Amino acid sequence: MKSILIAASLALVAAPVAAQALQPAAAPSVRKDLQNHALRDTGREVFQSEVHLEPGAAFPRHRHPGEEFIYVLKGTWVYQLDGQPPVTVKAGEALFIPYGVVHSARNAGSDHGIELATHVIEKGKPLLTLADTPAQN
């Protein structure tokens, strides 16, 4: 009986060590390049925002005086860019919106959605204007 208890104890101690040996080593750092686009000109400001939308919620049609770089952190978002079919972007995916293009976004998922939005806009201009408002040149 004593030898059975010793064997069982050794098996319990050895199992985690064996499992660790099978695990791949974690990389010290990982960089995930999402997008790279030439910008239109200089004299710009950068705004970066975390945008949250509840399930089914939408942000109305609008435009920016610059480019927008989107990275979806959580959920499933549908973006509608004027003149293009809708684009579905899920967590871990990115989208580029060109200078001045009118667009809207909605959370198409059943959970809270989060995107990271980076805007590179002309200095002194508002971050966005609603589509019904004429663009400022």
Side-chain angles (χ1 to χ4, degrees), residues 42-115:
T42 60
R44 301 294 190 98
E45 292 180 86
V46 176
F47 286 90
Q48 190 169 56
S49 306
E50 188 175 274
V51 180
H52 296 248
L53 280 179
E54 293 301 321
F59 197 84
R61 294 175 67 243
H62 62 283
R63 66 175 60 83
H64 306 282
E67 292 80 8
E68 181 176 10
F69 301 83
I70 295 169
Y71 182 70
V72 174
L73 298 168
K74 182 178 178 185
T76 301
W77 294 59
V78 175
Y79 298 88
Q80 180 64 60
L81 284 65
D82 278 8
Q84 298 182 26
V87 178
T88 300
V89 183
K90 297 178 180 179
E93 297 177 342
L95 177 68
F96 173 72
I97 299 178
Y99 186 100
V101 170
V102 174
H103 60 285
S104 61
R106 70 180 168 85
N107 179 351
S110 58
D111 293 326
H112 183 84
I114 304 171
E115 73 168 18

Side-chain angles (χ1 to χ4, degrees), residues 45 47 65 99 121-128 135-137:
E45 292 180 86
F47 286 90
Y99 186 100
I121 67 167
E122 294 181 48
K123 286 182 184 177
K125 298 237 177 160
L127 179 59
L128 68 88
Q136 297 178 357
N137 293 323

